Amino acid sequence: MTTSEGRRGNGAHTPRALFICGSLNQTTQLHAIARKLPEVDASFSPFYGERYVTWMRRLGLLENTIGGHKLRNRCLRYLERNGLAIDVDGERGGYELIVTGTDVVLPYNANGAPIVVVQEGILDPNGVAWPLVSRLPKRVPRWLVGTAATGLSNKYQRFCVASEGYRELFVSRGAPPSRVVSTGIPNFDDCASFKRHDFPERDYVLVCTSDARETYKWHNRKRFIARALHIAGTRKVIFKLHPNENFARARRELERYAPNAKVYIDGPIEAMIANCSTLVTEWSSVAFVGIALGKEVFSSHPMSELRRLLPEQNRSAARRIADVCREVLGLDGVRSAHEMEAAE
């Protein structure tokens, strides 16, 4: 969607919306939502936040996070490849709506524009700073506990979440009930579609590694590999490396501790999950894909909790979130995405 595609031809005012992206998962989800909002003049930016985030990035303190140069550049390449209107850090201003994949850090130049937050996926473990952050979320930097602090800012008009289970979780943590909406999230609302692919491997134990070390969390890779191999037993093992981790280091570790395993750096992770018999991960959202597809799943999260939180498989999350954006913008005279689709 270019800027011109969001304009209405009847002379009516066209609301301007800024979609603040981040990881590839966040970016593709927000792109999917924008496609369902043709009546909005949409611009996109890589992730940014308060001014100290910019200073930290310039000092090289945010690399391997969505605030660093590496992931910002990856996001920009996606936006350019898809021909989207780009406004880096929202510098042009004048937006009537901000849609973002996180409220852990919010944009310094929101200037009172209403904010719609879209849940990215699974949450980080609470961590040692959680008691302090959860009690004082407006005084203590929420990023100290990563995505565990999602929903705690109370500065959004709507927070669109993956499932009713997640809505209950966020409300129990202090999110205002009237602002949290269970819509599903675009990249996880139709896991059955991942069965349609041409990935050749079959019947293996898939082990998805994490970027915990790259994002400054504790992680024992040797122990994780040993656990995965124990689960696999004599079965074939495939390791899929996280796109944000140090590939050279990860390969060295796997050559040492799992020399018979096959290793993928790139590849369609959803198709890999669809073809595996068992999925092993730690804190990753891919566990939801495995559960939705009926796989045997091992995760560091309790399985009963993951099943309760499983994203809605409604195949309509982007449309539902687009309708939430219309509500926030007050576009009462514009047909909703549900109505437009029914009329087609």
Side-chain angles (χ1 to χ4, degrees), residues 175-230:
S178 62
R179 300 184 190 181
V180 185
V181 187
S182 177
T183 56
I185 49 179
N187 287 353
F188 296 91
D189 68 344
D190 185 16
C191 292
S193 67
F194 300 144
K195 296 178 181 179
R196 301 188 292 271
H197 60 80
D198 57 2
F199 186 66
E201 305 276 0
R202 294 286 190 281
D203 300 325
Y204 47 85
V205 176
L206 178 65
V207 185
C208 295
T209 62
S210 77
D211 63 345
R213 292 175 292 186
E214 286 75 14
T215 52
Y216 316 114
K217 303 179 184 71
W218 183 87
H219 173 69
N220 187 325
R221 179 55 59 89
K222 179 181 177 182
R223 181 182 299 172
F224 176 66
I225 294 172
R227 174 174 176 258
L229 295 180
H230 175 74

Side-chain angles (χ1 to χ4, degrees), residues 2-309:
T2 62
T3 301
S4 61
E5 288 176 350
R7 299 194 180 279
R8 286 180 270 166
N10 59 4
H13 170 67
T14 301
R16 298 184 63 232
L18 179 66
F19 291 78
I20 302 177
C21 305
S23 67
L24 188 59
N25 182 52
Q26 289 170 314
T27 302
T28 53
Q29 292 203 131
L30 295 193
H31 185 194
I33 296 162
R35 284 198 295 261
K36 300 297 183 180
L37 277 168
E39 67 274 34
V40 167
D41 184 356
S43 296
F44 297 78
S45 173
F47 175 78
Y48 72 102
E50 299 175 29
R51 291 200 181 274
Y52 72 80
V53 174
T54 303
W55 301 334
M56 292 175 71
R57 179 171 60 251
R58 290 172 179 169
L59 292 172
L61 300 177
L62 298 179
E63 288 310 300
N64 296 316
T65 74
I66 60 173
H69 294 291
K70 176 182 173 182
L71 295 190
R72 274 170 63 93
N73 289 337
R74 183 180 295 169
C75 174
L76 279 169
R77 288 195 297 271
Y78 175 91
L79 300 178
E80 291 167 353
R81 189 166 62 248
N82 285 275
L84 301 177
I86 300 172
D87 181 13
V88 176
D89 295 356
E91 290 295 339
R92 288 199 293 270
Y95 292 103
E96 295 158 79
L97 176 69
I98 293 173
V99 186
T100 178
T102 180
D103 72 324
V104 173
V105 176
L106 289 168
Y108 68 89
N109 55 356
N111 297 324
I115 296 172
V116 172
V117 178
V118 179
Q119 181 185 350
E120 177 184 12
I122 209 164
L123 303 184
D124 290 330
N126 290 343
V128 296
W130 171 253
L132 186 60
V133 173
S134 62
R135 283 198 300 270
L136 302 168
K138 296 182 180 180
R139 298 185 180 181
V140 179
R142 294 184 295 278
W143 51 261
L144 287 174
V145 292
T147 61
T150 303
L152 295 183
S153 72
N154 203 18
K155 292 184 178 181
Y156 47 80
Q157 275 57 52
R158 292 292 183 272
F159 178 21
C160 298
V161 303
S163 64
E164 189 60 35
Y166 263 118
R167 184 182 183 280
E168 293 171 358
L169 175 65
F170 288 121
V171 169
S172 73
R173 292 183 171 198
S178 62
R179 300 184 190 181
V180 185
V181 187
S182 177
T183 56
I185 49 179
N187 287 353
F188 296 91
D189 68 344
D190 185 16
C191 292
S193 67
F194 300 144
K195 296 178 181 179
R196 301 188 292 271
H197 60 80
D198 57 2
F199 186 66
E201 305 276 0
R202 294 286 190 281
D203 300 325
Y204 47 85
V205 176
L206 178 65
V207 185
C208 295
T209 62
S210 77
D211 63 345
R213 292 175 292 186
E214 286 75 14
T215 52
Y216 316 114
K217 303 179 184 71
W218 183 87
H219 173 69
N220 187 325
R221 179 55 59 89
K222 179 181 177 182
R223 181 182 299 172
F224 176 66
I225 294 172
R227 174 174 176 258
L229 295 180
H230 175 74
I231 291 169
T234 60
R235 293 178 290 174
K236 179 169 65 174
V237 179
I238 291 178
F239 280 84
K240 171 62 174 67
L241 302 185
H242 192 284
N244 196 36
E245 70 175 302
N246 183 324
F247 295 141
R249 176 176 61 185
R251 279 190 172 279
R252 287 195 303 269
E253 292 164 338
L254 289 169
E255 288 170 359
R256 181 176 182 182
Y257 300 120
N260 296 321
K262 195 166 187 176
V263 181
Y264 280 85
I265 291 177
D266 299 309
I269 183 61
E270 293 87 0
M272 293 180 180
I273 297 171
N275 279 13
C276 78
S277 54
T278 299
L279 173 64
V280 181
T281 184
E282 289 184 297
W283 307 106
S284 174
S285 299
V286 300
F288 287 135
V289 178
I291 293 171
L293 293 179
K295 305 296 179 178
E296 180 184 38
V297 177
F298 292 87
S299 169
S300 296
H301 289 283
M303 291 305 301
S304 59
E305 182 74 353
L306 291 183
R307 291 189 180 94
R308 185 178 75 87
L309 299 174

